[in-house]
Amino acid sequence: MLKFKGSLKISGDKSISHRSLIIASMSCGITKITNLLESEDVFSTMNILKALGIKIKKEKNKWEVYGNGTCGYMEPHNTLDCGNSGTTARLMLGAVAANPINCTFIGDKSLSRRSMSRVTDYLKAMGNDINLTRKDFLPIMISGNDNLIATEHEMLKASAQVKSAIMLAGLNIHGKTVITENKPTRDHTERLFKYFDINFKIKKIKNGGSRIELIGPYEIKSKNIDVACDPSSAAFFVVGALITPLSNITLKDICLNPTRIAYLKILKKMGGNIKINKTKNICGEDIGDITVEYSKLHGIKIDSHISPLLIDEYPILAIAACQAKGKTIMNGLSELRHKESDRVKSIVSNLKKLGYDITVKQDNIIIKGKENIKLKKQKIRSFNDHRIAMSFSILNIIFEDQLIIDDEKCINISYPKFKDHLNKLLSK
Ligand code: S3P
């Protein structure tokens, strides 16, 4: 069997890449971005910014964004296509909200099935005129408005995308915009705002939540950005090395933001031999190297309160769980049903097909690990979901290439270099 060996610097973080482009576009001056993730989702954001009049070009290995201020977008001539990217749709709805322009957002089939009222309800409360398809979906027409009302918002669902949309809109609202989130979600927008010297307040509240206060309008000065490497992409190789005998790898310069690496704590609790070595801070984010060795894993219970911080890693955690001894219980997965696919269904149907003992009770999954697997040719459905395709590509290493994944092209959504990097890490 192949094993994972060696060390590698993987691609830039998707969440930080979207935000870098958007915040740079709302600043004054030129921002140069290095290690930007060049994936389909990030290109969706980039193309929309270009359609809004922002000049963006690549010079050698740096992307240059010519910012036009917090109210500098021009009315686009065409519809704005978010492709498969929920982050693009939600963040860009917020970014255009306080500009006096009309925009129509569209997306692919999967994105057009995902809820957008979770963002637009807040924008409507600020005074935006918005028309959604069947009250919840793309295509959406939004009339931006440079006279939005500064108000207080309480996050009803734990969502970094929705929080970020309100924060971006708040940059050009006169007065105090307040956001309270009761459960923590990824905080890259807050960190980049600080890095860009945006003067806003953030206070920790009980249960790890926070209260954010913005007093707009702001003028932001451009500042160069180096994007940390993506911890969610690293998760595939981390689990690959943990479950494949004789493996030992180091992944370099990974973003160690605590809202993104909760999965490492879970894997350590399962018995994973993982070492984290913090090396420096870039643009407000700690980065470092993660070293992982093959380990005998055991099942654990994962509480629902931590689920917002594991949302992108459940598919690969399920792969770890099916190789662990005993039962793994994952609780509180309702939000997982609203991602690029219904990930509860995508995980469960594929693992069942492979003979794993996996049950779903409401929004909880129970997986019984099995050490001895029967190798036989089997088709896996990715449901056009990049994280499902990559998770089963990792399982395929210990299935010795017997799995046929139906549509691997979707991997380009978040990690076009995945196969290339996987091959670099694998050896006989
Ligand atoms: C993201 C937030 C998460 C995550 C998504 C990227 C972001 O979604 O699943 O892949 O960049 O803000 P939520 O909005 O549900 O937190």
Side-chain angles (χ1 to χ4, degrees):
M1 192 195 295
L2 293 170
K3 49 189 173 294
F4 288 80
K5 283 273 168 204
S7 85
L8 187 74
K9 178 168 169 170
I10 63 164
S11 302
D13 184 73
K14 182 156 81 74
S15 292
I16 301 176
S17 294
H18 284 293
R19 286 160 174 80
S20 299
L21 288 169
I22 298 171
I23 297 171
S25 78
M26 296 173 94
S27 71
C28 300
I30 304 169
T31 293
K32 292 183 184 173
I33 309 174
T34 42
N35 203 33
L36 185 83
L37 172 67
E38 296 179 6
S39 80
E40 284 178 9
D41 268 12
V42 176
F43 286 134
S44 293
T45 292
M46 191 187 283
N47 290 335
I48 287 180
L49 292 173
K50 286 182 182 169
L52 292 167
I54 303 297
K55 181 174 158 190
I56 303 175
K57 63 181 176 90
K58 194 173 182 183
E59 284 291 329
K60 295 200 178 124
N61 62 343
K62 289 188 173 75
W63 285 93
E64 293 182 357
V65 181
Y66 291 67
N68 219 6
T70 52
C71 189
Y73 294 143
M74 272 153 6
E75 186 157 293
H77 300 299
N78 290 310
T79 53
L80 302 174
D81 189 354
C82 306
N84 188 255
S85 174
T87 311
T88 304
R90 292 169 180 144
L91 267 58
M92 285 311 303
L93 277 163
V96 299
N99 284 244
I101 55 173
N102 295 312
C103 302
T104 301
F105 286 89
I106 60 166
D108 73 2
K109 222 162 114 192
S110 145
L111 189 59
S112 305
R113 281 197 291 259
R114 295 174 66 185
S115 170
M116 293 296 150
S117 62
R118 56 175 63 197
V119 182
T120 54
D121 283 352
Y122 292 99
L123 302 178
K124 280 182 183 173
M126 297 174 187
N128 278 124
D129 189 6
I130 307 177
N131 279 306
L132 295 97
T133 301
R134 286 177 288 116
K135 296 199 169 73
D136 202 10
F137 304 104
L138 295 172
I140 290 177
M141 282 189 289
I142 175 168
S143 299
N145 178 345
D146 54 1
N147 242 324
L148 291 182
I149 306 158
T151 182
E152 294 214 13
H153 307 274
E154 189 181 338
M155 306 300 301
L156 298 174
K157 287 201 164 69
S159 167
Q161 294 172 345
V162 178
K163 170 181 63 178
S164 302
I166 304 171
M167 290 178 72
L168 291 168
L171 290 176
N172 190 42
I173 295 177
H174 294 244
K176 197 196 278 182
T177 297
V178 180
I179 305 161
T180 313
E181 69 168 359
N182 295 311
K183 283 188 184 168
T185 60
R186 61 188 69 186
D187 61 355
H188 304 298
T189 310
E190 293 88 314
R191 285 170 189 265
L192 273 177
F193 273 23
K194 272 193 198 153
Y195 174 70
F196 270 79
D197 299 316
I198 296 171
N199 186 10
F200 75 108
K201 280 193 198 141
I202 179 158
K203 210 170 89 193
K204 287 282 160 221
I205 57 171
K206 62 176 181 341
N207 300 329
S210 54
R211 182 187 150 93
I212 297 165
E213 273 185 30
L214 294 158
I215 301 181
Y218 290 96
E219 196 177 286
I220 310 169
K221 250 179 79 190
S222 60
K223 207 165 170 185
N224 295 342
I225 305 173
D226 189 9
V227 178
C229 296
D230 196 316
S232 303
S233 296
F236 300 106
F237 304 136
V238 169
V239 170
L242 285 176
I243 65 174
T244 312
L246 302 174
S247 295
N248 187 340
I249 57 166
T250 297
L251 303 170
K252 317 275 278 177
D253 296 347
I254 305 293
C255 177
L256 299 178
N257 182 318
T259 64
R260 297 294 302 283
I261 56 167
Y263 77 90
L264 291 175
K265 262 197 199 149
I266 297 293
L267 290 168
K268 277 187 182 178
K269 226 169 135 191
M270 292 174 79
N273 188 346
I274 300 170
K275 290 198 178 67
I276 302 168
N277 178 24
K278 188 179 134 185
T279 51
K280 55 183 167 189
N281 185 285
I282 54 166
C283 309
E285 301 280 1
D286 284 341
I287 63 165
D289 303 339
I290 302 176
T291 300
V292 191
E293 245 180 66
Y294 168 70
S295 309
K296 291 234 183 269
L297 301 179
H298 55 82
I300 58 163
K301 184 172 167 198
I302 307 173
D303 264 5
S304 56
H305 78 268
I306 195 177
S307 65
L309 302 185
L310 293 174
I311 202 73
D312 289 342
E313 288 81 36
Y314 279 119
I316 191 66
L317 284 175
I319 301 298
C322 72
Q323 297 310 302
K325 194 167 175 217
K327 236 194 254 175
T328 296
I329 305 169
M330 299 173 167
N331 283 340
L333 306 186
S334 58
E335 274 301 301
L336 216 56
R337 297 191 182 275
H338 304 283
K339 293 293 167 184
E340 285 80 334
S341 70
D342 172 345
R343 286 185 176 153
V344 173
K345 194 174 131 201
S346 317
I347 294 168
V348 171
S349 61
N350 282 313
L351 285 179
K352 266 199 176 150
K353 219 193 262 179
L354 297 177
Y356 287 102
D357 184 347
I358 172 162
T359 40
V360 186
K361 280 191 192 142
Q362 286 152 345
D363 291 321
N364 310 323
I365 299 182
I366 303 163
I367 302 174
K368 275 197 196 144
K370 198 155 79 175
E371 278 167 86
N372 299 320
I373 43 168
K374 264 203 209 115
L375 292 183
K376 61 169 185 187
K377 274 220 171 332
Q378 195 61 262
K379 276 197 182 145
I380 295 295
R381 278 189 71 188
S382 70
F383 297 91
N384 213 12
D385 183 331
H386 52 127
R387 298 204 197 274
I388 299 297
M390 288 188 276
S391 297
F392 283 88
S393 304
I394 294 298
L395 187 62
N396 205 13
I397 306 301
I398 51 178
F399 268 76
E400 296 186 16
D401 220 12
Q402 296 294 303
L403 307 181
I404 304 146
I405 299 164
D406 65 350
D407 183 7
E408 292 186 312
K409 279 204 309 291
C410 60
I411 291 174
N412 292 335
I413 284 165
S414 67
Y415 196 179
K417 290 193 174 154
F418 172 74
K419 279 272 146 121
D420 177 32
H421 288 172
L422 180 61
N423 288 333
K424 280 198 172 119
L425 286 171
L426 287 174
S427 65
K428 281 203 178 130

